[in-house]
Amino acid sequence: MSIHTDLGIRPLINASATLTRLGGSVMPPEVLEAMQDAARYHIELDDMQRRVGAQIAKLTHNEAAFVATGASAGITLAAAALMAGKNPAFIQQLPDTTGMPKTEFIVHKSHRNGYDHAIRAAGGKVVEIGTALNTHEWELGHAINERTAAVFWFQGAMTGIGDLPLVKVIEIAKARGVPVIVDAAAQLPPVENLWKFTQMGATMAIFSGGKDLRGPQASGLCVGSAELISAMAMNGSPNHSVGRGMKVGKEEMAGLLAAVKRYLSLDHEARLLKDERVVAKWNEALCGIPGVCAERSWPNEAGQPLPRTRVVFDPPYDRDAIIAKLMAGEPAIAVSPGKANDIYLNPMSLEGDEAEIVLNRLIEILS
Ligand SMILES: *Cc1c(COP(=O)(O)O)cnc(C)c1O
């Protein structure tokens, strides 16, 4: 492959997760073809954004849809739109929020994560509710005031058992006229999540285009309120705005549309069964090795309903040394560390005979 030889990059098998630092996911042929097709022609960019959005909205049973350069950019644009709306002076002014009436974004303390940068990048102020362990209804009620722009809900590994249920958050916020935005970046599968959060009453749900959707790496999908989405478009590229640097190309728009179409037509049941077979095979083979125990782990680290294999090592096996050896091989193999002397093997991004290569390499290292 020329990208490897030309740049001297080592090929890598991703048995970890659809992590951005590993290139996210790989694009299937229909997505690549759509991007290539789009790359050949001039178009009116805002017209294309509207038409692609309308198609994706229809396909995903949403009022409207918008293509961003990633879930993180979608959060920033949503935050900008929730503060500046369509007011040209405010759009011009962000991230300086002086004089803007609504600039506060309520977030569960337990949800705080690296992506709240995306809210602050637009100039938004994050207001925490609850503790790391639990959050009460009165805390949300008390935090909502006339400066509240929205409640942001982060769905995934950070969502905890002590959180207010999302339905409750939506009920309380909506009753006070406050929008609820769900960061669902890694919440595919299940495919129904493309409409589940908005049907629950969330104002918007935001997905990464470059994770399991296998769209362009620099794409994100925002679905929900048409009013919010038209304000996001005004706060985004090509307009001179806080979102100007988050330029969405025609190729990303076409690629994401193709990726959504593909994802909706996939046999998700068959995919699950394939991953289950891989995990069962890994477990059986690895459990035969003295000092090694392998078990099925469910759901995976992002809370997706897909299995992984957790491999636990007895001393003197050292988890970090094993991870380093897997990465040092040719091809390199990326896996995830656990919390103890253990690793996770994730089949979700593996293709062809990669599951076998991962198993054989691990067995070789352990013997
Ligand atoms: C991956 C992820 C993001 C960022 O998605 P990008 O498409 O890479 O911008 C944001 N929030 C959560 C919870 C994520 O898992």
Side-chain angles (χ1 to χ4, degrees):
M1 249 183 278
S2 63
I3 185 73
H4 292 123
T5 47
D6 288 1
L7 296 173
I9 292 172
R10 292 184 326 127
L12 184 145
I13 291 177
N14 179 7
S16 177
T18 53
L19 303 177
T20 295
R21 69 180 166 78
L22 297 176
S25 52
V26 294
M27 286 187 279
E30 53 267 59
V31 176
L32 287 166
E33 277 158 28
M35 290 185 83
Q36 279 193 4
D37 189 34
R40 284 192 200 102
Y41 307 102
H42 290 282
I43 40 78
E44 266 189 89
L45 199 64
D46 55 353
D47 183 45
M48 179 153 174
Q49 175 70 269
R50 272 193 301 273
R51 286 172 193 272
V52 166
Q55 277 217 20
I56 295 180
K58 194 156 176 239
L59 289 165
T60 62
H61 320 297
N62 280 286
E63 187 183 45
F66 181 84
V67 183
T69 41
S72 190
I75 295 170
T76 303
L77 289 183
L82 288 158
M83 293 187 292
K86 298 177 179 176
N87 179 325
F90 284 171
I91 292 171
Q92 164 74 18
Q93 193 184 305
L94 283 181
D96 173 0
T97 60
T98 311
M100 296 186 198
K102 295 183 190 296
T103 56
E104 293 183 0
F105 294 90
I106 298 172
V107 176
H108 273 63
K109 186 183 181 73
S110 54
H111 291 190
R112 289 301 295 274
N113 68 86
Y115 296 106
D116 63 35
H117 246 290
I119 299 172
R120 291 183 286 118
K125 183 177 169 217
V126 174
V127 174
E128 282 183 1
I129 53 167
T131 68
L133 296 179
N134 52 44
T135 306
H136 302 284
E137 289 177 28
W138 65 263
E139 289 174 302
L140 175 56
H142 182 69
I144 294 175
N145 62 49
E146 69 282 358
R147 291 181 304 281
T148 306
V151 178
F152 261 96
W153 175 274
F154 291 90
Q155 183 74 32
M158 62 294 273
T159 321
I161 43 169
D163 298 345
L164 289 174
L166 177 56
V167 269
K168 204 58 183 169
V169 169
I170 292 170
E171 184 191 310
I172 295 171
K174 285 278 176 99
R176 306 270 297 269
V178 171
V180 176
I181 313 295
V182 177
D183 172 1
Q187 300 309 305
L188 297 171
V191 62
E192 308 84 66
N193 277 353
L194 285 169
W195 49 89
K196 193 188 97 178
F197 296 111
T198 41
Q199 285 182 358
M200 276 172 81
T203 314
M204 175 171 283
I206 301 176
F207 301 90
S208 183
K211 291 180 177 172
D212 203 51
L213 264 178
R214 296 177 63 182
Q217 257 311 280
S219 73
L221 174 59
C222 309
V223 295
S225 153
E227 181 58 26
L228 179 56
I229 280 174
S230 60
M232 284 168 72
M234 291 181 70
N235 281 273
S237 173
N239 304 321
H240 291 120
S241 61
V242 81
R244 176 59 185 86
M246 303 165 206
K247 181 199 280 184
V248 192
K250 55 196 185 299
E251 300 81 5
E252 278 75 34
M253 294 177 194
L256 189 64
L257 173 59
V260 169
K261 282 184 183 163
R262 172 187 170 272
Y263 206 71
L264 289 167
S265 71
L266 276 186
D267 184 346
H268 289 278
E269 189 67 24
R271 186 265 183 106
L272 171 64
L273 291 175
K274 180 171 155 272
D275 284 5
E276 290 285 12
R277 275 196 299 275
V278 168
V279 163
K281 193 170 172 215
W282 279 343
N283 291 351
E284 199 193 327
L286 292 167
C287 279
I289 302 172
V292 178
C293 174
E295 62 191 10
R296 178 180 176 273
S297 167
W298 175 281
N300 68 16
E301 99 295 346
Q304 295 154 327
L306 291 172
R308 291 187 296 173
T309 283
R310 176 171 179 243
V311 196
V312 188
F313 306 105
D314 289 342
Y317 284 130
D318 172 42
R319 190 263 322 258
D320 294 333
I322 292 166
I323 292 175
K325 280 182 187 158
L326 285 167
M327 272 306 277
E330 186 86 20
I333 296 172
V335 300
S336 303
K339 288 198 169 73
N341 199 24
D342 59 345
I343 60 172
Y344 287 91
L345 306 178
N346 188 343
M348 73 180 288
S349 295
L350 301 181
E351 309 237 279
D353 58 354
E354 290 181 339
E356 229 159 296
I357 297 175
V358 171
L359 177 64
N360 293 339
R361 175 71 58 69
L362 191 51
I363 290 173
E364 198 183 299
I365 290 171
L366 295 172
S367 56

